[in-house]
Amino acid sequence: MKKYKIAVLSGDGIGPEVVAQAIKVLDAVGQRYGHTFRYCHALVGAIAIDQTGDPLPEETIATCLESDAVLFGSIGHPKYDNDPSAKVRPEQGLLKLRKTLGLYANLRPVTIYPSLRDLCPLRPERVEGVDMLIVRELTGGIYFGERGRSEDKLTAFDTCTYSAYEIERIARIGFQEAMNRRKQLMLVDKANVLESSRLWREVVQKMAPEYPEVTVNYMFVDNAAMQLILYPAQFDVIITSNMFGDILSDASSVLAGSLGMLPSSSVGSHTSLFEPIHGSYPEAAGEDRANPLATILSAAMLLDSLELHKEAEQVREAVAQVMEKGLGTEDLKPKIKCTCSELGDIIADIVEDTENHSLRIQKISDRISTII
Ligand code: IPM
Ligand code: MG
């Protein structure tokens, strides 16, 4: 019986609706196991710019620092995407938050639900056995290096800088995660071209003897992009820089059948943060059709971080059950199509162990058969 304070940063686009489903599920966990989750909502992203002029108001930082965990939705708005001259951008809020909370490691597990195999454009035998973890460095590299324009504005630069210290701490997480998994670590870099990548190799090679059970391999990022599609089951733990991790994790979501399936946790020196890897999907905002599973699975990772492992497993189990039953949002091309909130309700009911969920599924099936 414990009390937890969760900072909730729903953000933009579909953020609020998918986060609302994760909260339902956390509340169901609370009901079943007698925990209390207290939510403190705070602004971030485009909505924060609209209301305060700042994509990450001080108040939001304070709320996160005072909380046991941060549940994050998504940020971004097309009006900024199409305006390269915008001085203030929603993404700055997320980047500053990662930096301020010292969230240097972003863990993105890629698991495949059997019922979604057909959604993956690869042949089923290629996806067989895929179970990997992308460990993405999150507070360094080209995302945070010096950038700018020449005086005539016709030349621009972004710098990729990494210190041995930054590489060692993220690599350590990779090695530790590998120890708890299949003990295969793959460093993905571009060491044939980039000096920063050569430092990554140097540091990782130096650390390898500390983990004699872990097999360390190295792969150039262009080849890794190909291998992820050609033979994805070869990967166990991938460690990589900020930008390569960003790109490779979106690519690997194709294996899972939808970008709406992949959760993530970001850990570091302060409160940990949990967010789906997808963006704000503005086209679907407010339409109750977004896939809430990545956020619900992120909430499961949040529970793990609070040492509530049984509860986390319960949530993952509930997600597996709805997948098995053929339920899902439109992106999953499911047998039984649900709205975002219906899927959240069903998962929450299963977690709470009420019989309600059969009734809800029945209602949705009836609705579908009436339409047909
Ligand atoms: C992600 C997103 C962010 C990133 C954006 C929104 C800044 O793509 O979390 O993967 O690039 O890190
Ligand atoms: Mg991304």
Side-chain angles (χ1 to χ4, degrees):
M1 249 285 249
K2 283 202 177 135
K3 284 195 173 133
Y4 301 93
K5 184 172 167 185
I6 314 288
V8 179
L9 278 56
S10 302
D12 307 320
I14 57 167
E17 45 205 289
V18 291
V19 163
Q21 310 318 311
I23 287 181
K24 277 182 198 167
V25 173
L26 287 175
D27 282 339
V29 165
Q31 279 292 331
R32 176 153 180 187
Y33 295 94
H35 308 305
T36 309
F37 297 104
R38 194 158 65 81
Y39 307 103
C40 297
H41 293 263
L43 291 170
V44 71
I47 185 169
I49 300 176
D50 290 347
Q51 293 190 20
T52 70
D54 183 349
L56 184 68
E58 282 302 317
E59 221 181 301
T60 299
I61 300 175
T63 304
C64 292
L65 288 171
E66 286 161 10
S67 299
D68 296 302
V70 182
L71 181 62
F72 195 96
S74 55
I75 50 153
H77 193 283
K79 74 178 173 206
Y80 299 96
D81 298 345
N82 303 330
D83 177 11
S85 67
K87 288 269 171 298
V88 189
R89 315 184 67 84
E91 288 78 6
Q92 291 163 347
L94 178 56
L95 298 182
K96 185 171 167 200
L97 184 63
R98 288 171 177 168
K99 198 73 171 177
T100 311
L101 297 182
L103 302 171
Y104 62 85
N106 182 222
L107 278 60
R108 300 186 160 186
V110 183
T111 37
I112 318 259
Y113 291 93
S115 64
L116 299 185
R117 266 205 204 129
D118 287 347
L119 268 190
C120 173
L122 302 188
R123 286 204 297 276
E125 67 269 22
R126 301 241 161 158
V127 199
E128 191 68 48
V130 168
D131 177 11
M132 69 175 124
L133 175 69
I134 299 177
V135 178
R136 168 188 177 194
E137 200 290 326
L138 204 59
T139 52
I142 200 163
Y143 270 57
F144 290 94
E146 210 185 312
R147 71 179 95 252
R149 290 274 183 121
S150 61
E151 233 162 76
D152 66 4
K153 307 275 183 245
L154 294 177
T155 307
F157 65 96
D158 297 273
T159 325
C160 181
T161 308
Y162 271 114
S163 68
Y165 166 75
E166 288 175 301
I167 300 166
E168 189 184 329
R169 64 181 181 178
I170 183 79
R172 203 159 287 290
I173 292 203
F175 276 108
Q176 284 160 359
E177 292 292 328
M179 285 299 290
N180 293 325
R181 297 173 47 99
R182 302 195 305 278
K183 302 188 172 56
Q184 303 283 329
L185 185 71
M186 180 71 80
L187 167 60
V188 172
D189 62 24
K190 188 73 185 173
N192 51 345
V193 177
L194 303 178
E195 193 56 37
S196 53
S197 285
R198 289 192 274 274
L199 184 59
W200 273 74
R201 285 213 183 189
E202 222 175 277
V203 171
V204 170
Q205 276 165 4
K206 240 188 237 158
M207 291 171 76
E210 288 180 52
Y211 301 88
E213 287 171 61
V214 177
T215 309
V216 185
N217 284 298
Y218 306 89
M219 198 179 264
F220 298 140
V221 64
D222 45 354
N223 183 28
M226 183 177 73
Q227 296 294 332
L228 269 175
I229 298 169
L230 217 48
Y231 180 31
Q234 71 183 290
F235 297 104
D236 179 19
V237 177
I238 290 178
I239 50 169
T240 193
S241 64
N242 203 341
M243 187 155 79
F244 295 161
D246 179 44
I247 299 167
L248 293 180
S249 54
D250 268 33
S252 56
S253 75
V254 173
L255 305 168
S258 166
L259 191 54
M261 293 303 295
L262 295 200
S264 87
S265 74
S266 302
V267 300
S269 31
H270 298 282
T271 322
S272 301
L273 179 146
F274 302 85
E275 59 169 325
I277 80 152
H278 61 68
S280 58
Y281 192 15
E283 302 84 347
E287 294 184 357
D288 201 19
R289 61 188 174 94
N291 184 345
L293 294 179
T295 315
I296 291 173
L297 292 167
S298 299
M301 296 180 92
L302 182 156
L303 292 168
D304 271 326
S305 80
L306 301 175
E307 304 288 328
L308 302 175
H309 300 298
K310 180 174 68 214
E311 291 83 342
E313 209 34 59
Q314 183 74 45
V315 172
R316 282 188 279 263
E317 178 54 35
V319 171
Q321 268 190 45
V322 298
M323 294 287 93
E324 254 165 53
K325 290 189 161 81
L327 297 152
T329 39
E330 60 182 23
D331 55 313
L332 303 178
K333 302 194 177 55
K335 271 203 302 248
I336 307 173
K337 189 165 97 182
C338 313
T339 64
C340 175
S341 50
E342 282 170 342
L343 202 55
D345 286 336
I346 293 167
I347 293 171
D349 282 349
I350 297 176
V351 166
E352 214 184 309
D353 203 21
T354 64
E355 279 312 306
N356 257 343
H357 68 272
S358 333
L359 216 68
R360 284 193 204 271
I361 296 170
Q362 192 54 49
K363 268 195 192 150
I364 299 166
S365 311
D366 289 351
R367 196 189 62 207
I368 292 172
S369 50
T370 332
I371 297 169
I372 292 166

